[in-house]
Amino acid sequence: MAATHAISKPTRHNQWYDEDLTEVNPQIRSLLETYSKVPPERVVPHVNAIRERGFAANPYPCIGHYRFLTLTLLTHPLYDTIRKRLIEDPSTRYLDLGCCFGQDLRELVSEGVPSEQLTGLDIEAPLMELGYEFFLDRETLKSKFLVADIFKGAEQGEPWTSLEKEKADIIHCSAFFHLFPLPDQIRAAKNVARLVRPNGIIVGRQSGSVKPGEVPAIAEGSTSFRHDISSLQSMWDEVGRATDTEWKVSGTLDTVGMIAKKNAVEDENSRRLLFTITRVR
Ligand SMILES: C[S@@+](CC[C@H](N)C(=O)[O-])C[C@H]1O[C@@H](n2cnc3c(N)ncnc32)[C@H](O)[C@@H]1O
């Protein structure tokens, strides 16, 4: 019998639509059980149903492959520092760029961070909307979710212009820059730079490489640039010159989460890149 997703899933996207899960990782299970109060036996069907609806709205690999179930910020070495700072200083602001369902933001809230200090931003309104149904918190969550295009920056007016005025101390931006070729990454980063308060940080995880350069991307004929720490620093030096700011990049490349066999997305040079980009001026 055909799985239900066969009905809504466009055929051309089959290659990045995994079979329904039979179990989820412990972090997302814990978040859904304790924060969202989903009964343990309902967690897996709930996740599969949300994945199907999310994919029908936006057929991205990160949804088809269930990557949104990885609470990325938790894997960053500054996670505890970020969480404590947000709890101890109510003036601290956190912004999640390309937040998808808002899963990392909910993890912070579940650990005691006041939700009004947190903002999510994504170009896809349906994903943020579905986030309320995923985490069952429409009535309680006080975070704002903004629909905006990082590439358009201030030229799109509100809500971006208000964000630029207020700025954030901590920006989380995972699995976003690696989607694009280097010139596009620089263009987006110039807009992101204008959202960061002095001494603020941009943190995240993305696909990196021990041989930085352009690699074929999912769309036929397109490329995306994979960084190491040094190429990422060069990019932010260029962003700094263009925005009259200065940035210090640190981070690590490792093989955690790399799919062992070569596939359409990763090759032998691929690494997980965890980065921290600090605005030093
Ligand atoms: C690969 S997903 C990563 C989601 C999440 N940050 C994570 O780590 O799992 C990329 C996200 O960026 C969003 N996005 C793509 N282009 C964007 C743009 N130009 N402006 C804002 N968000 C964008 C997508 O809608 C999607 O939610």
Side-chain angles (χ1 to χ4, degrees), residues 199-225:
N199 300 315
I201 53 173
I202 305 164
V203 295
R205 184 210 67 91
Q206 65 189 29
S207 300
S209 176
V210 289
K211 285 196 182 156
E214 301 285 346
V215 293
I218 283 166
E220 189 81 28
S222 69
T223 62
S224 57
F225 191 93

Side-chain angles (χ1 to χ4, degrees), residues 81-102:
T81 310
I82 289 170
R83 183 179 53 81
K84 281 188 198 133
R85 183 171 170 195
L86 283 160
I87 291 172
E88 285 164 13
D89 179 357
S91 72
T92 307
R93 290 290 172 273
Y94 167 98
L95 175 62
D96 198 324
L97 292 180
C99 68
C100 196
F101 295 125

